[in-house]
Structure formats: C-alpha cells, structure tokens
Amino acid sequence: GGKASEIIEQREAFEAGRRVGPRIYLTGALLEGPRVYYPLAVSVTNEAQVDAAIDRADRLQYDLLKTYVKLPEPLRKRAAEGAHRIGIPVSSHELYPAALFGMDSTEHYTGTAGRGYPTKVSSLGHAYQDVIEILTKSKMTITPTLSLGGFYQEVADSDPSAFDDPRWRMQPPWVKDAPAAARRGFGANPGQLQTTLAMEKAGVRIVAGTDAPLVPYGISLHNDLEEEVRAGLTPFQALQTATVNTAALLNASADLGSIEVGKLADMVMVDGDPLANILNARKVRRVIKNGETIELQSLLNPANR
C-alpha cells in the first residue's frame, strides 16, 4: 500500500525524466475495515465505498489492489470482483476464503491476519498440505517476505561487507546506524525455509518481496533472494521470483520479466554470475531502463536522487 498522490508523482517524474528512478507499479491505500491500523489505509464499510475505491483505482491507474486484514470477507469478495473488472490483480494477507474469491496473491507467511493468527504456517513455520494445495489449485502467488524480522543478522552472516557498500551508506541514519537492539531478530526460521522449498516443488508461484520500509529498501530484496537459495531453491529459481513470477502477477508478462525481442529493455548488469552465486546479483554496475543505460556512479550522485 501507499499514498497515491506521492507514488503517482514519483511515477510521473521518473517517466518524464525529471528525476532518475525505476519503473513503478503501484497500489494506492490499503482497503481496510472500520478501524485502520496504518495511515496509508482507508476505511471502507459498505459496498458503495468499495465500488468508489475501485473507481478511484481505475481513474488513477493502479496496477494492483491490496485489501487489508480487518476488511470483512463479503467486502473483500466485492473488492476482488471490482479489481478484476478493471483488469488489475488483488492481494491480501488471507488465504481462505480469499482463494475462493479469486484473489491473485497472498502476502507473508506470518504477520498481521484478520483472524489474529497466521493461516498459512504453524508457529514453527511449517505449511500443511491443505495450504499448499489451495495455493497450487487457485494459482495464487505468495510473497513469503523471508527477510522480514531478521534482516540485519542475515546480511551480517552472509556478507558483512554489504554494510560498507556505498548504496547502503546512502540509507538514512535511522536505518544504516540502527542500534544493536533494532538489529536483533531471527528472520526466516528453518520451518519457513522448508516450506518455501516445498512450495517451489509443488509449483506454487513464489514472488520475492520485503515489506519495506519495515526492512530497508534495496539490499533486503537481495537478502530475500539469498534466503530462498538457503531454503534450497536454485539461484535460477530465486531470480525467477523477482522477474517472471512478478511480471505474471502484475499482468505485465508481455512487456517485462524476461529478456526477449519485443519486450521493454529493463535490466541490470552485474559483475559476476548470479547463477553460480546468488550474492553476485548484488553487484549491480549499471541499470538499463527502457533502453537507457545508467551507470552506478550516476545513481549514487545526490543530484539525481
């Protein structure tokens, strides 16, 4: 979720070349029930308000709709129907009856849930067979957010030099200089890693994601890929979670997700082979967006941010 006015301004500035930035796919405010938890949510309590939110999403050209945990299930169903009517996918934290409603994606193994407890994994991180079957048969994607909760420790364990990277040093002080207490965490437990591998083997479409800004932008995405490899996915499968799988969820496969003739020229060039070592995916040296090449040093220039 996000504040539509801010995200649309960013998207327009990037597309116009006024500022350097990525191609943005956006969702506006979370659709929440009578009481909202995050300020980037909006309360919808009846069908008319859901319909108005769908109309707003259509007019502002959202790419995805996010329903949040306190939204009553009948209104979640109407939101899913409305989102599909205007041609965009819809996501939530729920699994069932969300799958019955035709929801396209579910987010996080754990975290906030409308029933007050995780519905996808046990307390030790294991998913039962019914969860995996619902995901495979409904063709929903899942974003495990493996980096959530233990990002700092996970990065320190895999590559402590990452915190000396100039891209990391650009983070605000409250991120890069977080106190030791904020750096503690356990991250993905062995059960969650086993679940990730079981889902991959079952054919569940996994999508890389981080839940930023609860974990820092940028490097946390790479850490997410590294956690997937630690779970047993090959580097190739992990890279697919951030490319073809994501493009499929966003109905963007015709333009993005793979390097093919006729698709948009969006890619990164790295120093090393990420198929041999997923850590090499971090070593971005230049970005190509819509055919325009941008060197890393240019991106580090404060004038371009």
Side-chain angles (χ1 to χ4, degrees):
K3 296 180 180 179
S5 58
E6 294 179 1
I7 304 172
I8 291 172
E9 187 276 334
Q10 285 185 335
R11 181 172 66 180
E12 291 178 349
F14 295 159
E15 290 179 352
R18 301 285 292 181
R19 293 200 303 273
V20 176
R23 191 182 303 277
I24 287 183
Y25 285 76
L26 69 90
T27 175
L30 307 168
L31 296 191
E32 181 64 289
R35 297 175 64 188
V36 302
Y37 184 77
Y38 288 109
L40 50 79
V42 61
S43 174
V44 290
T45 59
N46 55 55
E47 291 185 347
Q49 291 176 344
V50 172
D51 293 345
I54 296 297
D55 180 64
R56 178 180 175 85
D58 191 26
R59 290 171 182 267
L60 296 181
Q61 298 180 320
Y62 293 178
D63 299 292
L64 182 140
L65 194 71
K66 174 73 177 285
T67 65
Y68 210 53
V69 296
K70 297 174 186 174
L71 187 69
E73 296 297 355
L75 297 186
R76 195 185 316 279
K77 180 176 185 291
R78 192 172 185 89
E81 293 169 345
H84 292 157
R85 187 172 62 251
I86 64 173
I88 62 174
V90 59
S91 178
S92 74
H93 288 193
E94 308 304 322
L95 180 63
Y96 196 85
L100 185 65
F101 301 156
M103 302 286 285
D104 299 282
S105 187
T106 183
E107 316 305 322
H108 318 302
Y109 283 156
T110 59
T112 49
R115 288 155 185 80
Y117 57 87
T119 57
K120 286 158 279 191
V121 297
S122 69
S123 59
L124 296 180
H126 295 285
Y128 292 101
Q129 189 63 27
D130 57 346
V131 168
I132 294 178
E133 288 187 4
I134 289 172
L135 288 167
T136 53
K137 292 181 179 181
S138 68
K139 296 182 170 34
M140 292 174 72
T141 66
I142 185 168
T143 312
T145 54
L146 295 172
S147 289
L148 190 60
F151 159 79
Y152 288 101
Q153 187 61 53
E154 291 162 7
V155 173
D157 289 344
S158 65
D159 181 15
S161 68
F163 294 124
D164 295 323
D165 190 297
R167 293 167 296 177
W168 174 256
R169 301 311 303 171
M170 289 169 57
Q171 293 278 0
W174 60 269
V175 173
K176 66 182 180 183
D177 302 323
R183 293 173 179 265
R184 284 197 293 267
F186 300 99
N189 63 39
Q192 291 179 352
L193 299 180
Q194 293 169 18
T195 290
T196 302
L197 181 59
M199 287 187 177
E200 175 66 30
K201 288 181 175 180
V204 176
R205 198 169 61 201
I206 299 170
V207 172
T210 64
D211 211 25
L214 297 184
V215 290
Y217 290 98
I219 195 172
S220 59
L221 176 62
H222 289 284
N223 184 68
D224 205 65
L225 302 181
E226 292 153 21
E227 289 295 294
E228 291 175 359
V229 172
R230 191 159 73 93
L233 275 66
T234 67
F236 182 76
Q237 290 170 328
L239 290 171
Q240 286 182 312
T241 70
T243 53
V244 292
N245 293 3
T246 306
L249 170 62
L250 294 172
N251 298 326
S253 295
D255 295 320
L256 296 167
S258 59
I259 300 174
E260 298 180 56
V261 174
K263 290 194 174 184
L264 297 172
D266 283 12
M267 63 194 81
V268 294
M269 299 183 71
V270 302
D271 185 8
D273 182 2
L275 297 181
N277 185 342
I278 195 63
L279 288 175
N280 287 331
R282 288 190 199 169
K283 300 175 183 178
V284 177
R285 294 297 174 261
R286 60 183 59 88
V287 176
I288 301 174
K289 177 190 173 186
N290 206 34
E292 178 187 358
T293 299
I294 308 168
E295 299 292 332
L296 175 60
Q297 289 305 314
S298 177
L299 293 173
L300 293 173
N301 185 347
N304 290 329
R305 299 201 295 273

